Amino acid sequence: MNFRKTQISVVMCVKNREKEIERALRSVKKQKGVLEIIVVDGNSTDKTVEIAKKYADKIYSDNGKGLAYARQLGAEKAKGEYIAYIDSDTELPKENLLIRMVEEMEKNNWVAIHAQLINPRKNKTIWEYCEDMHLKTKFNEPGERRYIGTIVCVVKRNIVLKYRFDPFMKYAAEDTEFWSRVGKEHKFGVSKEVAFHYHRASFKDFVKQRIWYGKGNARAMVKHKAWKLLLVPFGIMAYGIFQAFRCRKCIKCIPYYLVWGVALLYGTIVGLFEIVREK
C-alpha cells in the first residue's frame, strides 16, 4: 500500500487528561503513515491543551458540545483518507501499528478496524485486572464484529462524513450508536494488532467512568426508543456471576461486575432525567 497517497489523520478527543495525554501523543508521534495529529479539547481546565501543543498539528475546541461532536469535528478538519481515533489513555507500542491495521482492514474489505487492548501495568488493581479479563473474554479476538469501540480505531474518513457521529450522543455510547448505523451497510472488526490501554485503576475512577457510560446509554435509549437498554446493567451483573462459575480466575471479578451494573444503572437514570430537563 502506498502511504504517500493513503495517509492517516489521528484524532484525539480529550478533556482534563494532563496526566496521560503526553504518553499517548508521544507514541502517536512515532507512528509511520501519520499525516497529522488533531486534538479536539472539551474545555479542559488543566494543562491538557498546553501539553497537546507540543505534539499536535491542529487543536480545536468542541465548546462543551460533547464527545460525538468532537469526533465529528476532528474528522471534518482532517485531510487524511483514514481517521485514527486514539484515546488519551492509550499507547501504541509499535511504530507501524496503524499502518498494519489499515492493511488488515483493506484486506478484509472492512470500513473500520479496532486494535485489541491490554493493560501493560505490572501491578494491577482489581479494577484493572478485571477489565483485562473482561476484554479477554469479550473483545480481544480478531475478526468481524457487530460493534467496535473508538479507543484505538481506524475508520475510512468518508464513512464518518457520511454517517456522522450524532451530537445528541455527547457522552459515551456515541461510538456504539454510530457503528449500529454503519453496520447496516458495511463490515468492520477487531485487528490482530495489540495496543496498550491504561484502564481506570481506582474504585472512584471506575465508578465515574461507568456512570458516564450510563448517561450515554440513556441517550441511545431515547434516540432509538430502545427501552430494553434499561436492562443492560442487570445483564452485566448476571454475566459477571455467570463468568465466576465458568472461570476460576473470574471469581474475584464479581464485585467489578456488580459495581459496574449499579453505576451504569445510576448513570442511565441520571441521563434520562437530564434529557427531560433539556426538553
Side-chain angles (χ1 to χ4, degrees):
M1 183 172 293
N2 185 357
F3 275 88
R4 292 179 182 175
K5 295 182 179 180
T6 54
Q7 294 283 346
I8 302 167
S9 293
V10 171
V11 174
M12 186 174 293
C13 304
V14 295
K15 182 178 180 180
N16 294 332
R17 293 299 180 198
E18 64 178 6
K19 295 181 180 179
E20 57 194 16
I21 187 174
E22 188 156 23
R23 176 181 57 212
L25 286 174
R26 191 185 298 119
S27 71
V28 169
K29 198 72 174 179
K30 296 177 182 178
Q31 286 294 299
K32 295 180 179 178
V34 170
L35 173 65
E36 58 187 348
I37 300 174
I38 299 171
V39 171
V40 183
D41 179 67
N43 291 342
S44 293
T45 56
D46 62 5
K47 296 181 180 180
T48 296
V49 174
E50 182 181 331
I51 296 170
K53 287 179 179 178
K54 296 191 294 183
Y55 301 92
D57 299 293
K58 304 172 185 176
I59 299 178
Y60 301 98
S61 173
D62 68 11
N63 295 315
K65 295 181 180 179
L67 186 53
Y69 179 89
R71 293 204 189 283
Q72 191 65 34
L73 177 63
E76 290 177 358
K77 296 295 185 180
K79 296 179 180 178
E81 181 179 348
Y82 302 94
I83 303 296
Y85 287 113
I86 309 294
D87 278 5
S88 61
D89 54 359
T90 65
E91 186 177 6
L92 310 182
K94 299 177 183 177
E95 63 180 14
N96 62 347
L97 186 139
L98 294 180
I99 287 178
R100 290 173 66 90
M101 287 176 65
V102 170
E103 291 173 341
E104 186 179 353
M105 178 180 72
E106 294 290 1
K107 182 179 179 180
N108 289 319
N109 198 28
W110 293 344
V111 298
I113 191 168
H114 200 289
Q116 296 179 54
L117 301 172
I118 62 169
N119 187 344
R121 289 193 184 109
K122 294 182 178 180
N123 299 316
K124 297 179 177 64
T125 66
I126 184 65
W127 311 107
E128 292 175 287
Y129 171 84
C130 294
E131 186 82 350
D132 262 0
M133 290 297 294
H134 180 73
L135 287 172
K136 183 178 180 180
T137 58
K138 294 291 288 182
F139 188 79
N140 281 350
E141 185 175 336
E144 190 176 317
R145 291 287 191 280
R146 289 182 59 193
Y147 299 99
I148 54 176
T150 44
I151 297 174
V152 177
C153 168
V154 179
V155 55
K156 291 184 177 181
R157 180 171 177 263
N158 64 342
I159 291 294
V160 183
L161 297 182
K162 178 181 178 180
Y163 291 91
R164 307 184 63 83
F165 284 89
D166 185 350
F168 177 70
M169 302 295 299
K170 61 183 181 180
Y171 302 115
E174 89 298 342
D175 48 4
T176 304
E177 195 279 331
F178 173 77
W179 297 121
S180 70
R181 291 183 281 113
V182 175
K184 292 178 181 179
E185 299 182 33
H186 303 280
K187 295 180 179 181
F188 40 77
V190 174
S191 173
K192 298 176 183 177
E193 300 299 318
V194 176
F196 295 158
H197 184 242
Y198 294 84
H199 312 321
R200 299 298 187 271
S202 70
F203 172 80
K204 180 180 178 181
D205 288 342
F206 177 74
V207 169
K208 184 178 179 180
Q209 184 189 54
R210 264 46 186 187
I211 291 174
W212 192 62
Y213 286 175
K215 293 171 76 174
N217 279 356
R219 291 184 174 261
M221 190 185 307
V222 170
K223 177 178 178 179
H224 295 284
K225 294 181 173 56
W227 307 113
K228 63 182 180 180
L229 288 177
L230 195 58
L231 300 176
V232 170
F234 302 100
I236 287 171
M237 290 187 277
Y239 175 79
I241 295 172
F242 174 70
Q243 280 294 97
F245 284 103
R246 291 184 60 212
C247 169
R248 191 172 181 181
K249 292 182 179 179
C250 297
I251 293 176
K252 65 179 182 179
C253 291
I254 291 179
Y256 162 87
Y257 285 105
L258 294 180
V259 171
W260 181 355
V262 171
L264 191 71
L265 180 61
Y266 174 77
T268 302
I269 294 171
V270 170
L272 289 172
F273 276 108
E274 182 181 274
I275 294 169
V276 171
R277 289 195 299 271
E278 288 177 356
K279 294 181 178 181

